[in-house]
Amino acid sequence: MSVKIVRFWLQLLLRKEQAITFLVSLSVVILFNLFMNAGLTTNYIINLLFVAFFSLQITSLHKRNHTEQYLSISVLPTYRLISYQFYVSLLLSFPLFLMMMGLLWRMFMDAPLWNLVIIVFSSGIFAIMSGLLMGQTVNHNGWALAVLIAFYLRIGLMPWTYSEKLRYISPIVNRFNPYMINWRNVIALFAFSLMFYGMGTLFSNRRGGGKKSMVPWISTVFACCLLLSVWGYEGIYNEQVRTTPFQTIRVGQTQVEYKGIDSYQAEQFATLFEALYQVARERGANPVRYTLEITRMHSMSSFEPKVILQNHNKLQINIYSNKLLEFNFGMDWASKWVDYILPQPTKLSEKQLDDFKRLKYGIVLEVRRMNPGKVYTRQVD
């Protein structure tokens, strides 16, 4: 039965009017990826939006072609119908999955390929299920599409700190650091996909359709349990970090007090800060010496948390995102720290101010070229 329905849907999609719509939509996405210099996040979110759009169209395919009776869809439970729609959506979206893989690989060529596959498929399946949910629960496709556009463009255009705050449901959190998978985000996206599957059945605008079956209830309850587990783990982890004493590591004259991160990551911070200090001295500057105090948490108290706080002779660094542990395209720590170790003197002329800015820029550039401790896997030109 499932093979028959899936095959027939694909045959409908190959009809002239359906095929033209699909190919035009796919061409728009390809051209957008190739020629629009909109940034990786925007390009990636546009791909996810079209994945959701294709899934939305699949939900109404049999209605628009008046094939319900031919396929005996009316007697199918809704949860099974959604499963069949998922298979077709996955096939249609596969070219977009490949493009998303290409986008990430072009930017993060040194990241593990397996990580990129996890990122693409977790966010892609989430997009498919969000499109199927809208198609099943919203009668008018125009309204369903408006909801999808509002969600995905909001996620893609808002600052990355907001995505971290909405880390459970944001499909782009892992894009901020493909070198280190945020498994909490992956599990949460999988849980929401299951929840969308259950909600698509329970709140479907179809009459009957097996809504009393245990399958959608089990799916929804299991999804809620996964989300509660992730939320509970974060709370336990954060409490453990708060009560854990700082460990200490020293590189040269730089001391780092840390908790919530491992010794290798602490050494990376220490090595980079020490190199920045030494280069500043070699260039005739008089840098201020600080101790780094680094704390890694899994959540944050506000939408715009302070990443660096100066406390006398300490720089308190609050790590709440994997992005802050990525030195290439994540956080430019050298540029942040140079403003602290070389505070701007007062009463500078315009020429002196320009010279001072060039000095700091040259120090940061030299540190990146030195690549202390190989913290940068991608080098500047």
Side-chain angles (χ1 to χ4, degrees):
M1 182 68 174
S2 61
V3 175
K4 174 185 175 183
I5 294 177
V6 171
R7 184 174 64 245
F8 191 79
W9 274 337
L10 292 176
Q11 289 173 350
L12 287 177
L13 288 167
L14 291 176
R15 293 173 57 184
K16 183 178 180 181
E17 62 275 16
Q18 303 286 356
I20 290 177
T21 301
F22 173 70
L23 291 176
V24 168
S25 300
L26 188 60
S27 300
V28 169
V29 185
I30 294 174
L31 292 174
F32 185 87
N33 282 292
L34 292 177
F35 299 108
M36 292 296 290
N37 189 21
L40 178 60
T41 299
T42 303
N43 283 8
Y44 193 84
I45 210 71
I46 291 296
N47 280 273
L48 289 179
L49 177 58
F50 270 89
V51 169
F53 170 72
F54 290 161
S55 302
L56 175 63
Q57 294 304 303
I58 290 299
T59 60
S60 61
L61 186 63
H62 55 278
K63 295 179 183 177
R64 286 183 280 116
N65 290 273
H66 306 289
T67 58
E68 297 97 326
Q69 293 181 347
Y70 176 79
L71 294 174
S72 301
I73 283 178
S74 59
V75 301
L76 281 177
T78 304
Y79 66 85
R80 190 174 297 170
L81 182 63
I82 295 176
S83 299
Y84 301 160
Q85 291 168 345
F86 173 79
Y87 302 148
V88 179
S89 299
L90 194 60
L91 288 173
L92 289 182
S93 303
F94 195 73
L96 297 183
F97 280 35
L98 293 179
M99 279 190 286
M100 288 189 287
M101 280 286 297
L103 281 172
L104 293 179
W105 184 81
R106 186 173 60 184
M107 182 68 72
F108 307 103
M109 288 185 290
D110 50 339
L113 182 61
W114 178 243
N115 286 9
L116 303 185
V117 172
I118 292 174
I119 294 171
V120 169
F121 273 86
S122 61
S123 59
I125 290 174
F126 174 86
I128 288 175
M129 295 310 300
S130 65
L132 295 180
L133 173 65
M134 288 293 103
Q136 288 291 339
T137 58
V138 180
N139 286 320
H140 196 282
N141 269 15
W143 286 110
L145 182 59
V147 172
L148 293 173
I149 291 174
F151 174 77
Y152 284 99
L153 290 190
R154 179 64 176 168
I155 290 290
L157 296 178
M158 66 185 182
W160 66 271
T161 53
Y162 282 72
S163 283
E164 288 289 350
K165 190 66 178 178
L166 305 173
R167 59 196 175 279
Y168 299 144
I169 199 169
S170 175
I172 60 172
V173 166
N174 267 298
R175 191 211 64 74
F176 299 135
N177 185 356
Y179 304 95
M180 182 185 299
I181 290 293
N182 185 334
W183 289 106
R184 291 170 291 117
N185 175 251
V186 172
I187 294 172
L189 291 181
F190 174 70
F192 271 105
S193 298
L194 281 178
M195 186 178 292
F196 293 164
Y197 176 74
M199 292 172 61
T201 299
L202 298 175
F203 300 102
S204 175
N205 49 36
R206 296 180 71 210
R207 292 182 178 273
K211 294 182 182 181
K212 295 182 180 180
S213 171
M214 291 298 295
V215 174
W217 289 104
I218 292 174
S219 173
T220 304
V221 171
F222 183 62
C224 291
C225 290
L226 283 178
L227 291 172
L228 288 173
S229 298
V230 172
W231 178 76
Y233 164 76
E234 287 191 350
I236 294 172
Y237 173 87
N238 289 342
E239 187 58 33
Q240 287 179 341
V241 170
R242 290 189 187 97
T243 57
T244 300
F246 284 98
Q247 295 180 277
T248 302
I249 192 172
R250 181 179 290 273
V251 174
Q253 299 181 46
T254 298
Q255 178 174 302
V256 173
E257 301 171 1
Y258 66 95
K259 58 182 178 178
I261 60 174
D262 57 38
S263 59
Y264 173 74
Q265 292 167 331
E267 186 177 357
Q268 282 186 305
F269 281 99
T271 302
L272 181 61
F273 190 86
E274 178 67 16
L276 188 70
Y277 186 88
Q278 294 301 332
V279 170
R281 291 191 60 182
E282 291 171 2
R283 297 210 171 196
N286 187 24
V288 180
R289 173 66 69 178
Y290 287 98
T291 295
L292 300 182
E293 184 182 279
I294 304 174
T295 304
R296 168 68 156 125
M297 304 293 281
H298 277 339
S299 61
M300 42 190 183
S301 58
S302 66
F303 279 109
E304 292 292 342
K306 294 291 184 181
V307 178
I308 303 177
L309 294 173
Q310 182 180 347
N311 183 13
H312 302 294
N313 65 334
K314 283 187 178 181
L315 292 182
Q316 296 175 334
I317 299 174
N318 301 309
I319 304 293
Y320 57 85
S321 167
N322 285 351
K323 177 183 174 71
L324 301 177
L325 296 170
E326 206 280 287
F327 292 88
N328 299 284
F329 304 102
M331 175 64 75
D332 189 357
W333 288 108
S335 296
K336 296 290 184 182
W337 288 336
V338 76
D339 291 330
Y340 287 92
I341 70 173
L342 293 179
Q344 183 176 312
T346 58
K347 298 180 180 179
L348 291 179
S349 65
E350 187 174 341
K351 181 179 182 305
Q352 289 174 324
L353 183 59
D354 289 340
D355 291 340
F356 185 69
K357 289 179 179 178
R358 279 196 294 270
L359 171 65
K360 291 198 295 186
Y361 176 76
I363 291 172
V364 172
L365 194 61
E366 178 63 25
V367 169
R368 286 193 65 97
R369 285 174 176 163
M370 287 172 55
N371 195 12
K374 297 181 179 179
V375 297
Y376 301 110
T377 58
R378 303 288 297 276
Q379 288 296 297
V380 295
D381 296 330

